Amino acid sequence: MSTCLVIDEMHPSLQPLLQAIGVAINYQPSLTAAEVPAALAAYPYEGLVVRSKLRVTADLLSHGPQLRYVARAGAGTDNIDEAAMAAADIILLNAPEGN
């Protein structure tokens, strides 16, 4: 089973939808942007789900070398360094209606 870290408030329907496809969620919307790197380093998360709490940068991605995808729930990807994600071979999923 894949595990993802969710660091922003999400609709309650997210968890059962992801569990149905074999993804376990660690729902931590109270994490601050400063705490996310340590959380990524502490557990082998394959996914990270964000809204607008933080910028997904090369430095942040370096704390989660096992990441395979970042999902952005909401319109736009201006807080995502897409070049850094491509360099790390991490897939960007965008759900513009997903807020």
Side-chain angles (χ1 to χ4, degrees):
M1 179 175 277
S2 171
T3 302
C4 74
L5 176 63
V6 178
I7 62 159
D8 282 290
E9 296 276 338
M10 298 288 169
H11 191 275
S13 65
L14 177 69
Q15 189 161 346
L17 288 172
L18 290 177
Q19 286 175 331
I21 61 169
V23 177
I25 295 177
N26 184 359
Y27 186 67
Q28 296 292 326
S30 63
L31 283 179
T32 67
E35 295 170 320
V36 173
L40 288 174
Y43 189 85
Y45 294 107
E46 292 180 10
L48 175 65
V49 180
V50 301
R51 287 182 70 189
S52 57
K53 180 184 284 189
L54 81 158
R55 290 196 41 79
V56 178
T57 63
D59 180 60
L60 178 72
L61 296 173
S62 72
H63 294 277
Q66 68 291 339
L67 284 174
R68 299 293 165 248
Y69 62 91
V70 173
R72 164 71 165 103
T77 58
D78 55 321
N79 62 324
I80 310 288
D81 183 341
E82 294 183 51
M85 291 197 42
D89 200 26
I90 298 173
I91 297 168
L92 173 59
L93 306 169
N94 185 23
E97 304 284 326
N99 56 5

